[in-house]
Amino acid sequence: MPKFADIAKGPNDLLNDDFTSNISLKCKSSAGPVAVTIETERSPAGALTSKIGGKFAYAGLNFDKLQHKADGSTVLETSLVPCKGCKMTFKANKGADLGVEYTAGSVITTGSLDVLNMSKLSTSTCIGVAPGAFVGGDLSYNLSGDKAGLSSYNVGASYSTGPLFTSVTTSSKFSQFNVGILYKVNKDLSLASNTTHTSSKACDVLAIGGAYSGLVGSVGTIKAKVGSNGVTSACVIKEVAPKVNFTASGSISGADFSTFKYGFGISM
């Protein structure tokens, strides 16, 4: 049962996850009851920046993320389940948001309030109307300033049957329609596309791509996509050792090799 924010998750994940131009190392380990994560990235100039985080629970309160960054900032994400089907959340970084998620049968409703500046209230609902079919919507309301009032509202739907998944969502107050398609050709090959449709442009193909994991020799999963901006991207994801994943990625604009960018990451 997805939240409205994840109603188009299938094609979005295939076409966006794992493609990177960064060089990174992510290490996870357990220190008693605390799950510790250290992430290090290399900038184009060669400088290394790291952030360290932890995840643990105490007295029924879940600390889902407690992270310190290289610039001195801190990220805090907590959650609490006061009753069945209800989860309260708090997220603090540059702002502070108090949220709630409530599940009842085939309905998931979420709400979020900016408690730092008391400037924005957001809510969403997703309903399962039939096996594999979901509909929902979200809206945001500005509470203060010159732009006080309803700031955004959108709806969407998704349907999956057998190997086919489709989704249609709106954005920019119904001025744009987004269509996502994911088709699993077989257990090794999946294809996906994302398109947008507006009054000024009937169809804009944002990306078309696929993922394949059936190569002999355990090469890993190969993903590739082509965007409407002319950029072709590809990546390989392989488990090189138990619980150690290696990702190598590259992209190029058209046939101009001066635009080639690469990245790789190790997660363990």
Side-chain angles (χ1 to χ4, degrees):
M1 182 71 189
K3 293 183 287 186
F4 180 74
D6 299 326
I7 203 167
K9 181 177 175 62
N12 287 344
D13 283 357
L14 192 151
L15 294 171
N16 293 301
D17 288 358
D18 304 311
F19 297 99
T20 180
S21 58
N22 297 325
I23 298 175
S24 63
L25 172 64
K26 185 175 184 179
C27 300
K28 295 182 179 181
S29 184
S30 295
V34 181
V36 179
T37 301
I38 301 176
E39 301 176 61
T40 302
E41 285 192 1
R42 179 183 181 273
S43 71
L48 298 178
T49 59
S50 296
K51 49 190 177 183
I52 182 170
K55 178 180 179 181
F56 60 96
Y58 179 76
L61 179 63
N62 298 307
F63 290 83
D64 302 312
K65 179 186 285 188
L66 177 58
Q67 186 181 75
H68 293 280
K69 298 183 179 180
D71 60 4
S73 62
T74 302
V75 178
L76 173 64
E77 296 183 6
T78 64
S79 63
L80 175 69
V81 180
C83 59
K84 183 179 179 181
C86 180
K87 181 169 75 169
M88 305 292 297
T89 62
F90 178 75
K91 298 180 180 181
N93 187 2
K94 295 180 180 179
D97 296 315
L98 181 65
V100 61
E101 298 177 9
Y102 185 72
T103 304
S106 59
V107 180
I108 294 183
T109 300
T110 69
S112 178
L113 174 65
D114 174 10
V115 293
L116 180 63
N117 301 310
M118 299 301 292
S119 61
K120 187 177 181 180
L121 174 66
S122 303
T123 185
S124 74
T125 297
C126 188
I127 306 171
V129 295
F134 301 93
V135 297
D138 66 4
L139 63 85
S140 296
Y141 191 91
N142 288 332
L143 300 174
S144 61
D146 297 335
K147 297 182 179 180
L150 198 60
S151 58
S152 70
Y153 44 88
N154 294 289
V155 297
S158 68
Y159 180 69
S160 61
T161 176
L164 179 65
F165 172 92
T166 60
S167 66
V168 180
T169 59
T170 66
S171 55
S172 303
K173 298 180 179 179
F174 292 95
S175 63
Q176 177 176 299
F177 287 83
N178 315 298
V179 178
I181 299 175
L182 175 65
Y183 183 71
K184 295 183 179 180
V185 180
N186 52 46
K187 66 181 182 65
D188 298 320
L189 177 63
S190 297
L191 304 175
S193 69
N194 269 339
T195 60
T196 62
H197 309 266
T198 63
S199 59
S200 60
K201 193 169 185 179
C203 182
D204 184 11
V205 182
L206 295 182
I208 296 178
Y212 185 68
S213 57
L215 291 178
V216 177
S218 299
V219 175
T221 299
I222 298 176
K223 297 174 64 176
K225 67 176 181 178
V226 178
S228 59
N229 56 0
V231 176
T232 301
S233 305
C235 66
V236 178
I237 309 100
K238 178 176 175 57
E239 187 178 40
V240 295
K243 298 183 180 181
V244 180
N245 293 312
F246 174 76
T247 301
S249 180
S251 65
I252 186 172
S253 178
D256 184 0
F257 285 92
S258 66
T259 64
F260 177 73
K261 298 179 181 179
Y262 69 91
F264 63 83
I266 297 175
S267 177
M268 64 178 69

